[in-house]
Amino acid sequence: MPESLLAAEPAPIAFDPKRTAMVIIDMQRDFLEPGGFGETLGNDVSLLQAAVGPCQAALAAARAAGMLVIHTREGHRPDMMDAPPAKVERGEPTARIGCAGPMGRILIRGEPGHDIIAELAPAEGEPVLDKPGKGAFYQTDLELMLKNRGIDTLLVCGVTTEVCVHTTIREGNDRGYRCVALADCCASYFPEFHRVGLEMIKAQGGIFGWVSSSSGLVAALG
Ligand code: C5J
């Protein structure tokens, strides 16, 4: 397939859909629904809903173009051997990681809260990558999967903009991937962090990536 041109900031970016992966970060019940990890930290989880519709539109376009789609989930083994005490013990949440909640144990693999939300359920054959940290490269086989598929560009969606989306884009940038955040497909519990987080990516001529949107992607692939 010939290269497509994606409207982006700070500049448009040419990409080959066959060498591009959409990475959807942590669109899990634990972050988006009441009773999960996000709410235990005192956040208004309804703020993340804004990203769901745009993610659905971008995902449909990516699937129609035959693009590799990878879903990630943040969470830990049931025995929590992969959960650093520094992560589990910090802050004053209403329930800590591993404690029982209305959607099962908070941020634990296999529990209902760890699932990806129904609206963005992975399709048959789409890899789902479980990660213990904020970045999608840390302690996962993401880099191996991308290398084996000849991927050079990542379209990054998901939550939250300034935490797991940012960490993944920074990790990907350092590994040589051209990383594009799809702005409206990302969200934060802090709207100002979302706005500034996107500004940070594209400042200084795109210091560690590009910023585009779901409609930009749909137009580029149309
Ligand atoms: C957080 C994430 N915010 N997926 N995780 O703890 O951004």
Side-chain angles (χ1 to χ4, degrees), residues 25-26 28 31 37 41 74 131 134 159-161 163-165 189:
I25 305 287
D26 303 354
Q28 295 162 256
F31 293 102
F37 179 62
L41 298 174
E74 180 180 345
K131 61 186 184 64
K134 304 305 182 192
V159 296
T160 61
T161 311
V163 185
C164 291
V165 170
Y189 302 120

Side-chain angles (χ1 to χ4, degrees), residues 40 51 67 82 93 101 121 125 131 142 162-163 171 174 176-177 184 211:
T40 67
M67 210 179 272
D82 60 351
K131 61 186 184 64
L142 177 58
E162 78 282 8
V163 185
E171 289 179 326
D174 282 352
Y177 295 98
D184 56 336
V211 177

Side-chain angles (χ1 to χ4, degrees), residues 28-30 35-37 40 74-83 88 95-115:
Q28 295 162 256
R29 300 183 66 196
D30 251 321
F37 179 62
T40 67
E74 180 180 345
H76 298 282
R77 296 163 47 103
D79 63 11
M80 292 178 60
M81 291 289 284
D82 60 351
V88 178
R96 292 196 186 276
I97 296 169
C99 293
M103 293 191 288
R105 294 177 68 202
I106 303 290
L107 219 58
I108 297 295
R109 295 177 190 160
E111 301 289 339
H114 188 257
D115 281 347

